[in-house]
Amino acid sequence: MQGINVKSEIGNLKKVILHRPGDELLNLTPNTLEELLFDDIPFLPVAQEEHDAFANILRGEGVEVVYLEDLMAEVIDANPELRETFLDQWIFEAGIRTETYKQIIKDYMNSNYAGTKDMVMKTMAGINLQELPQKDTHLLVDMVSDRCKLVCAPMPNLYFTRDPFANIGNGVSINRMYSVTRNRETIYGDYIFKYHPDFAGTPRYYDRNDTFHIEGGDILNINEHVLAIGISQRTEPDAIDHIAHNVFNDETSTIDTILAFNIPSSRAFMHLDTVFTQIDRDKFTIHPGIMGPLTVFEITPDGKGGTKIRERNEDLEKVLSEYVGEAVKLIPCGGGDRIAAEREQWNDGSNTLCVRPGTVVVYQRNNVTNDVLYREGINCLEMPSAELSRGRGGPRCMSMPAWREAL
């Protein structure tokens, strides 16, 4: 399974990219939560147990699980000259500009993390000042800085592998993230899709250095011809225009329609996949709170290298049914109960990972929504989620499919 093949949200999942939470969660503090986009601090040992349970559920369903950190380490082991290039880039993107500190940090990384995977994991975990050797730098900042100050910030959101890059058909979008904190996460995808033998040569529909923000949680593959993208708090319409141009002008792409969903810009509706995911050939979960304000725009090629856009004013079921090819049913999070919907939406009740049509991984804690799905004939693979859910992302957020079989 070399390359990327993701032409639906529900085709039999064969290969997926995960990141097991690591020491980056230990560098979360109450004072840095807002900056690092967390609402609470997960307890790392339990978060890792829950994530391992998630991976084991997938393996039990015949899915090959590969880890982002392993792929990155394999790239550098196969190309040792990239280690210094990668470290220089990581240090720069961590905001280190003085030559003194660039060298101090590089020396620290090479001396203490000679093993490639250890080094990769440390770049994800971050560095605080007290870890570095105390040297008389003759800098005022070192005289007044708290020794617990973060020098290189951690990447605690990285276990949500859905967002830094998104696989589209046989191509990939290396995303420009909404926040400075998360934009550094895309460096790993950039190296993996340039150099890893399993992924090198994949068509690139967006680049991390492009101008506008877009995140993978807003990108859903409906089928080989239709792509859905959310206009959200974290994805700008200009980025969708850019992807549409690149996808439509790639001769290897089969996508001829992009549906742009204009969803409310708020933390609760962070990405399209937090309010809307496909779970079977004819079924979607949806948060009832977006039914009123949701507007859909249909983007297609104009035959001249550009695009044409049409606003769809029909109800969502009709629009989806047209593109799915059969009548669809929207199943509301919380079973339509407003309080249950708001509570379980906060814990990603609509954020499911489809393993095959009608079989989805869900958070165990969303019992009201899960009971509704069971009654609709959906096979729910429930995973523990007491700690992982504190990051405000569900099973789909925590996974990036690399290969799905055709429907």
Side-chain angles (χ1 to χ4, degrees):
M1 290 182 289
Q2 287 190 320
I4 295 297
N5 190 68
V6 184
K7 296 183 178 179
S8 76
E9 290 293 309
I10 62 172
N12 193 15
L13 182 61
K14 301 302 294 180
K15 186 175 182 178
V16 68
I17 302 171
L18 307 182
H19 167 61
R20 186 176 190 262
D23 288 352
E24 61 271 14
L25 294 187
L26 299 180
N27 275 325
L28 281 170
T29 67
N31 289 334
T32 60
L33 284 178
E34 183 176 357
E35 173 191 350
L36 297 174
L37 307 178
F38 267 71
D39 297 302
D40 202 352
I41 301 174
F43 181 42
L44 179 58
V46 176
Q48 290 178 326
E49 290 174 6
E50 292 172 353
H51 197 273
D52 290 343
F54 176 44
N56 286 332
I57 287 172
L58 295 176
R59 292 188 185 102
E61 298 297 317
V63 181
E64 179 188 359
V65 175
V66 296
Y67 289 94
L68 186 73
E69 52 270 32
D70 291 334
L71 295 174
M72 186 65 200
E74 288 162 9
V75 164
I76 295 176
D77 281 338
N79 306 272
E81 71 281 2
L82 289 178
R83 180 182 171 112
E84 183 171 355
T85 303
F86 167 70
L87 275 177
D88 286 340
Q89 185 175 352
W90 171 76
I91 291 168
F92 181 83
E93 293 193 14
I96 308 303
R97 296 293 185 267
T98 64
E99 292 303 321
T100 299
Y101 261 99
K102 285 180 184 178
Q103 197 59 51
I104 289 173
I105 292 169
K106 185 186 284 190
D107 291 345
Y108 168 77
M109 293 293 286
N110 286 327
S111 298
N112 294 275
Y113 300 93
T116 305
K117 185 175 177 180
D118 289 340
M119 182 271 291
V120 169
M121 294 297 286
K122 185 58 180 173
T123 63
M124 297 173 173
I127 299 173
N128 61 61
L129 193 58
Q130 66 186 356
E131 295 178 74
L132 299 176
Q134 294 194 43
K135 294 184 178 180
D136 187 359
T137 60
H138 304 290
L139 296 174
L140 179 60
V141 66
D142 291 334
M143 300 291 291
V144 301
S145 292
D146 184 339
R147 290 293 295 168
C148 294
K149 174 186 174 183
L150 285 168
V151 180
C152 299
M155 303 184 202
N157 298 278
L158 200 53
Y159 70 89
F160 301 121
T161 52
R162 181 69 61 162
D163 296 323
F165 55 91
N167 295 326
I168 300 171
N170 298 120
V172 65
S173 168
I174 308 291
N175 299 323
R176 181 178 181 84
M177 308 284 275
Y178 168 74
S179 71
V180 174
T181 293
R182 293 208 69 185
N183 205 43
R184 296 163 55 230
E185 298 173 23
T186 65
I187 189 172
Y188 305 106
D190 193 30
Y191 277 79
I192 289 165
F193 281 94
K194 279 180 182 175
Y195 300 109
H196 197 284
D198 286 355
F199 302 108
T202 299
R204 188 172 295 204
Y205 298 134
Y206 206 79
D207 187 80
R208 68 193 301 264
N209 297 312
D210 286 337
T211 304
F212 302 104
H213 302 131
I214 187 166
E215 299 193 358
D218 280 314
I219 299 176
L220 283 70
N221 295 275
I222 302 299
N223 54 47
E224 63 180 348
H225 292 288
V226 182
L227 183 69
I229 307 180
I231 307 167
S232 71
Q233 181 193 56
R234 300 191 177 185
T235 292
E236 297 175 285
D238 316 71
I240 300 175
D241 285 335
H242 191 77
I243 283 188
H245 178 270
N246 289 339
V247 167
F248 294 155
N249 288 284
D250 176 14
E251 294 180 356
T252 68
S253 172
T254 60
I255 295 168
D256 52 36
T257 303
I258 292 177
L259 300 177
F261 290 75
N262 194 10
I263 65 176
S265 180
S266 75
R267 173 78 164 154
F269 302 152
M270 186 190 315
H271 293 129
L272 184 60
D273 72 358
T274 64
V275 294
F276 175 76
T277 51
Q278 189 172 7
I279 56 178
D280 204 345
R281 294 176 185 274
D282 61 345
K283 295 183 180 71
F284 292 77
T285 60
I286 191 164
H287 179 48
I290 70 163
M291 291 301 290
L294 190 64
T295 304
V296 182
F297 298 92
E298 174 193 85
I299 307 171
T300 54
D302 65 1
K304 304 173 184 177
T307 61
K308 54 185 178 180
I309 302 174
R310 178 167 67 115
E311 183 174 345
R312 301 297 302 261
N313 295 312
E314 307 93 327
D315 60 52
L316 185 57
E317 289 98 331
K318 183 173 181 180
V319 174
L320 288 173
S321 297
E322 176 182 333
Y323 287 105
V324 170
E326 56 186 293
V328 304
K329 183 172 186 178
L330 302 182
I331 302 172
C333 176
D337 179 274
R338 180 177 174 181
I339 293 176
E342 290 183 3
R343 182 184 69 250
E344 297 200 353
Q345 173 61 26
W346 185 246
N347 292 309
D348 293 281
S350 295
N351 189 266
T352 63
L353 174 64
C354 195
V355 176
R356 67 183 62 85
T359 295
V360 297
V361 184
V362 298
Y363 273 167
Q364 183 183 45
R365 66 186 301 151
N366 295 315
N367 57 297
V368 176
T369 302
N370 295 344
D371 286 346
V372 173
L373 296 181
Y374 282 125
R375 290 198 296 272
E376 293 289 344
I378 302 299
N379 176 27
C380 294
L381 307 173
E382 297 186 16
M383 62 169 287
S385 52
E387 297 302 316
L388 291 175
S389 62
R390 296 178 190 271
R392 304 273 76 82
R396 187 181 191 273
C397 291
M398 293 190 299
S399 58
M400 176 43 64
W403 198 277
R404 287 187 183 272
E405 291 181 343
L407 290 172

PDB file of all heavy atoms in Angstrom, residues 35 55 74 88 111 156 164 192 205 283 314 349 355 368:
ATOM      1  N   GLU A  35      -2.955  29.330  25.060  1.00  0.00           N
ATOM      2  CA  GLU A  35      -1.983  29.458  23.963  1.00  0.00           C
ATOM      3  C   GLU A  35      -1.857  28.155  23.184  1.00  0.00           C
ATOM      4  O   GLU A  35      -1.714  28.163  21.958  1.00  0.00           O
ATOM      5  CB  GLU A  35      -0.619  29.850  24.550  1.00  0.00           C
ATOM      6  CG  GLU A  35       0.519  29.854  23.552  1.00  0.00           C
ATOM      7  CD  GLU A  35       1.882  29.984  24.232  1.00  0.00           C
ATOM      8  OE1 GLU A  35       1.918  30.260  25.453  1.00  0.00           O
ATOM      9  OE2 GLU A  35       2.897  29.788  23.544  1.00  0.00           O
ATOM     10  N   ALA A  55      -5.781   2.185  18.970  1.00  0.00           N
ATOM     11  CA  ALA A  55      -4.956   1.513  17.960  1.00  0.00           C
ATOM     12  C   ALA A  55      -5.273   0.029  17.892  1.00  0.00           C
ATOM     13  O   ALA A  55      -5.325  -0.570  16.803  1.00  0.00           O
ATOM     14  CB  ALA A  55      -3.475   1.739  18.263  1.00  0.00           C
ATOM     15  N   GLU A  74      12.057   7.246  10.318  1.00  0.00           N
ATOM     16  CA  GLU A  74      12.506   6.447   9.166  1.00  0.00           C
ATOM     17  C   GLU A  74      13.041   7.335   8.051  1.00  0.00           C
ATOM     18  O   GLU A  74      14.017   6.975   7.371  1.00  0.00           O
ATOM     19  CB  GLU A  74      11.333   5.590   8.658  1.00  0.00           C
ATOM     20  CG  GLU A  74      10.988   4.428   9.587  1.00  0.00           C
ATOM     21  CD  GLU A  74       9.611   3.840   9.347  1.00  0.00           C
ATOM     22  OE1 GLU A  74       8.970   4.211   8.334  1.00  0.00           O
ATOM     23  OE2 GLU A  74       9.165   3.012  10.173  1.00  0.00           O
ATOM     24  N   ASP A  88      17.556  22.449  12.289  1.00  0.00           N
ATOM     25  CA  ASP A  88      17.649  23.889  12.035  1.00  0.00           C
ATOM     26  C   ASP A  88      16.267  24.482  11.757  1.00  0.00           C
ATOM     27  O   ASP A  88      15.921  25.560  12.276  1.00  0.00           O
ATOM     28  CB  ASP A  88      18.575  24.167  10.845  1.00  0.00           C
ATOM     29  CG  ASP A  88      20.050  23.984  11.178  1.00  0.00           C
ATOM     30  OD1 ASP A  88      20.391  24.019  12.376  1.00  0.00           O
ATOM     31  OD2 ASP A  88      20.855  23.798  10.245  1.00  0.00           O
ATOM     32  N   SER A 111      23.398  16.031  21.780  1.00  0.00           N
ATOM     33  CA  SER A 111      24.082  15.372  22.897  1.00  0.00           C
ATOM     34  C   SER A 111      23.161  14.447  23.673  1.00  0.00           C
ATOM     35  O   SER A 111      23.580  13.386  24.137  1.00  0.00           O
ATOM     36  CB  SER A 111      24.666  16.427  23.852  1.00  0.00           C
ATOM     37  OG  SER A 111      25.612  17.228  23.204  1.00  0.00           O
ATOM     38  N   PRO A 156       1.131  19.734  21.836  1.00  0.00           N
ATOM     39  CA  PRO A 156       0.225  18.791  22.485  1.00  0.00           C
ATOM     40  C   PRO A 156      -0.957  18.360  21.628  1.00  0.00           C
ATOM     41  O   PRO A 156      -1.585  17.336  21.894  1.00  0.00           O
ATOM     42  CB  PRO A 156      -0.255  19.563  23.721  1.00  0.00           C
ATOM     43  CG  PRO A 156      -0.111  21.003  23.340  1.00  0.00           C
ATOM     44  CD  PRO A 156       1.103  21.060  22.475  1.00  0.00           C
ATOM     45  N   PRO A 164      -2.895  18.405  10.521  1.00  0.00           N
ATOM     46  CA  PRO A 164      -1.717  19.004   9.868  1.00  0.00           C
ATOM     47  C   PRO A 164      -1.634  18.730   8.369  1.00  0.00           C
ATOM     48  O   PRO A 164      -1.104  19.529   7.622  1.00  0.00           O
ATOM     49  CB  PRO A 164      -0.536  18.364  10.608  1.00  0.00           C
ATOM     50  CG  PRO A 164      -1.096  17.888  11.911  1.00  0.00           C
ATOM     51  CD  PRO A 164      -2.503  17.506  11.618  1.00  0.00           C
ATOM     52  N   ILE A 192       7.776  13.811   5.488  1.00  0.00           N
ATOM     53  CA  ILE A 192       7.301  12.457   5.172  1.00  0.00           C
ATOM     54  C   ILE A 192       6.848  12.377   3.717  1.00  0.00           C
ATOM     55  O   ILE A 192       7.185  11.426   3.000  1.00  0.00           O
ATOM     56  CB  ILE A 192       6.169  12.051   6.134  1.00  0.00           C
ATOM     57  CG1 ILE A 192       6.749  11.806   7.536  1.00  0.00           C
ATOM     58  CG2 ILE A 192       5.432  10.811   5.633  1.00  0.00           C
ATOM     59  CD1 ILE A 192       5.708  11.745   8.631  1.00  0.00           C
ATOM     60  N   TYR A 205      -1.715  19.109  -3.158  1.00  0.00           N
ATOM     61  CA  TYR A 205      -2.755  20.064  -3.537  1.00  0.00           C
ATOM     62  C   TYR A 205      -2.712  21.357  -2.723  1.00  0.00           C
ATOM     63  O   TYR A 205      -3.380  22.327  -3.072  1.00  0.00           O
ATOM     64  CB  TYR A 205      -4.134  19.418  -3.401  1.00  0.00           C
ATOM     65  CG  TYR A 205      -4.330  18.222  -4.305  1.00  0.00           C
ATOM     66  CD1 TYR A 205      -4.896  17.045  -3.831  1.00  0.00           C
ATOM     67  CD2 TYR A 205      -3.933  18.263  -5.651  1.00  0.00           C
ATOM     68  CE1 TYR A 205      -5.079  15.953  -4.663  1.00  0.00           C
ATOM     69  CE2 TYR A 205      -4.100  17.177  -6.484  1.00  0.00           C
ATOM     70  CZ  TYR A 205      -4.677  16.018  -5.982  1.00  0.00           C
ATOM     71  OH  TYR A 205      -4.845  14.939  -6.810  1.00  0.00           O
ATOM     72  N   LYS A 283     -25.869   7.184   5.504  1.00  0.00           N
ATOM     73  CA  LYS A 283     -26.100   7.780   6.823  1.00  0.00           C
ATOM     74  C   LYS A 283     -24.939   8.695   7.227  1.00  0.00           C
ATOM     75  O   LYS A 283     -23.775   8.374   6.999  1.00  0.00           O
ATOM     76  CB  LYS A 283     -26.278   6.690   7.893  1.00  0.00           C
ATOM     77  CG  LYS A 283     -27.520   5.826   7.714  1.00  0.00           C
ATOM     78  CD  LYS A 283     -27.657   4.824   8.860  1.00  0.00           C
ATOM     79  CE  LYS A 283     -28.897   3.951   8.675  1.00  0.00           C
ATOM     80  NZ  LYS A 283     -28.714   2.999   7.570  1.00  0.00           N
ATOM     81  N   GLU A 314     -31.169  24.153  -1.365  1.00  0.00           N
ATOM     82  CA  GLU A 314     -31.986  23.031  -0.935  1.00  0.00           C
ATOM     83  C   GLU A 314     -31.572  22.573   0.455  1.00  0.00           C
ATOM     84  O   GLU A 314     -30.513  22.947   0.957  1.00  0.00           O
ATOM     85  CB  GLU A 314     -31.862  21.857  -1.915  1.00  0.00           C
ATOM     86  CG  GLU A 314     -32.145  22.205  -3.370  1.00  0.00           C
ATOM     87  CD  GLU A 314     -30.900  22.582  -4.148  1.00  0.00           C
ATOM     88  OE1 GLU A 314     -29.969  23.171  -3.541  1.00  0.00           O
ATOM     89  OE2 GLU A 314     -30.848  22.301  -5.342  1.00  0.00           O
ATOM     90  N   GLY A 349     -19.333  13.857  19.900  1.00  0.00           N
ATOM     91  CA  GLY A 349     -20.281  12.802  19.594  1.00  0.00           C
ATOM     92  C   GLY A 349     -20.513  12.599  18.105  1.00  0.00           C
ATOM     93  O   GLY A 349     -20.907  11.520  17.673  1.00  0.00           O
ATOM     94  N   VAL A 355     -14.673   2.613   9.863  1.00  0.00           N
ATOM     95  CA  VAL A 355     -13.728   1.552   9.510  1.00  0.00           C
ATOM     96  C   VAL A 355     -14.173   0.859   8.226  1.00  0.00           C
ATOM     97  O   VAL A 355     -13.366   0.451   7.402  1.00  0.00           O
ATOM     98  CB  VAL A 355     -13.602   0.536  10.662  1.00  0.00           C
ATOM     99  CG1 VAL A 355     -12.706  -0.630  10.284  1.00  0.00           C
ATOM    100  CG2 VAL A 355     -13.063   1.228  11.910  1.00  0.00           C
ATOM    101  N   VAL A 368     -25.556   8.576  24.799  1.00  0.00           N
ATOM    102  CA  VAL A 368     -26.859   8.892  24.204  1.00  0.00           C
ATOM    103  C   VAL A 368     -26.776   8.783  22.680  1.00  0.00           C
ATOM    104  O   VAL A 368     -27.597   8.120  22.038  1.00  0.00           O
ATOM    105  CB  VAL A 368     -27.324  10.308  24.623  1.00  0.00           C
ATOM    106  CG1 VAL A 368     -28.628  10.671  23.912  1.00  0.00           C
ATOM    107  CG2 VAL A 368     -27.499  10.385  26.134  1.00  0.00           C
TER     108      VAL A 368
END
